[in-house]
Amino acid sequence: MTPKTGLKGKIFIVSAPSGCGKTTLCKKLLKDKVKLHQSVSITTRPPRRGERNGADYFFVSAEEFIRMIDAKDLLEYEENFGFLYGTPKKAVEDLLHKGRNVLLSIDVKGAMNVRKSYPQNSVLIFVMPPSMEELKNRLESREADTAKAITNRLKVAKQEVACRDKYDYVVVNDRLDAAYKKLKDIILLEGERPCRDPQ
Ligand code: ADP
Ligand code: 5GP
């Protein structure tokens, strides 16, 4: 995709290994008085307990997801843990055209692709777990995955953490309140800055 220029809003991309706490942090941001619009991703993964269609994700079939890829409705998409995940293009671009800031909570590969497509607008934030042991505890406490799935998520987590230097900011989610404050400060600071100049 040719890089898009001239859009006014910022895209805040938050990535973190699964179970690190990015959903918790992003939900706090959206409840707070930070001017941000969450992009709701589309996925073929089944909903977890408590997840709502249209709020946490749009849950669709693999056939529907492939139809969206073919129709070029997705800004980016990736496969994670055997399921497809993608960002809806129109909803995000409509917000950027209006100068609104958008929050994407997506994986490392997706983050890199969004930055390539929207280099002037993207701000990349990586959320780190305090340790792999604590990440394992959090995955277990969520009670959403089997032991085998948790082992797989931890393996992917190590690969993702190794990419943190590609991000503009790194926040360690040790104590939730402290991590939240850092994340919010970054968003408020970057929200005030103009978009980057074209390269
Ligand atoms: P992610 O969206 O990154 O997969 P979640 O937000 O679902 O992760 O968090 C995974 C689990 O860890 C949840 O049970 C959540 O309540 C817990 N959690 C999140 N942040 C912290 C923190 N700073 N300290 C302790 N537990 C946390
Ligand atoms: P989970 O199943 O734990 O909700 O998400 C698994 C992984 O998929 C996480 O790393 C999450 O950030 C990522 N993800 C969620 N939505 C998207 C998306 O729209 N695009 C991409 N590339 N990754 C996503």
Side-chain angles (χ1 to χ4, degrees):
M1 181 174 161
T2 322
K4 292 246 171 134
T5 54
L7 295 166
K8 289 179 280 178
K10 291 247 171 121
I11 311 177
F12 291 97
I13 306 164
V14 177
S15 303
S18 178
C20 178
K22 69 182 169 312
T23 307
T24 309
L25 287 164
C26 291
K27 279 191 175 159
K28 264 172 97 68
L29 269 177
L30 296 166
K31 270 200 210 139
D32 215 336
K33 288 198 178 83
V34 181
K35 283 188 189 147
L36 266 184
H37 297 259
Q38 172 139 49
S39 156
V40 179
S41 291
I42 294 143
T43 185
T44 60
R45 160 168 89 58
R48 292 190 186 123
R49 197 176 41 190
E51 283 185 331
R52 284 182 302 127
N53 191 32
D56 298 286
Y57 282 104
F58 291 103
F59 297 98
V60 301
S61 65
E63 290 72 24
E64 175 65 5
F65 198 101
I66 288 161
R67 195 200 59 72
M68 294 178 92
I69 297 174
D70 291 344
K72 303 207 181 325
D73 286 345
L74 301 178
L75 194 152
E76 61 76 39
Y77 64 92
E78 295 293 339
E79 187 182 328
N80 284 313
F81 313 111
F83 297 107
L84 292 162
Y85 295 82
T87 305
K89 184 152 67 181
K90 187 173 183 311
V92 171
E93 288 197 344
D94 283 354
L95 288 163
L96 294 178
H97 273 296
K98 290 184 200 151
R100 306 268 163 78
N101 296 334
V102 186
L103 178 65
L104 302 188
S105 175
I106 63 175
D107 69 5
V108 173
K109 284 175 284 167
M112 298 303 136
N113 286 333
V114 174
R115 175 156 61 191
K116 246 186 241 155
S117 303
Y118 304 87
Q120 294 175 254
N121 310 75
S122 299
V123 178
L124 272 65
I125 306 166
F126 191 84
V127 179
M128 289 265 294
S131 66
M132 283 297 156
E133 201 187 337
E134 173 60 14
L135 182 62
K136 186 165 179 264
N137 290 341
R138 288 184 195 170
L139 282 166
E140 285 169 354
S141 75
R142 197 165 61 180
E143 295 178 349
D145 302 289
T146 61
K148 195 173 160 212
I150 289 180
T151 306
N152 189 30
R153 281 179 192 258
L154 288 169
K155 196 173 123 200
V156 173
K158 283 196 188 127
Q159 294 161 3
E160 290 186 324
V161 167
C163 297
R164 65 186 181 278
D165 291 348
K166 295 182 180 161
Y167 281 68
D168 300 311
Y169 297 93
V170 175
V171 173
V172 179
N173 183 15
D174 191 346
R175 275 190 38 242
L176 185 63
D177 285 350
Y180 177 66
K181 184 177 181 312
K182 278 189 200 143
L183 180 63
K184 186 177 165 183
D185 286 349
I186 292 166
I187 289 174
L188 292 177
L189 175 81
E190 285 284 352
E192 292 298 312
R193 288 189 177 153
C195 292
R196 290 193 184 91
D197 291 331
Q199 302 288 319

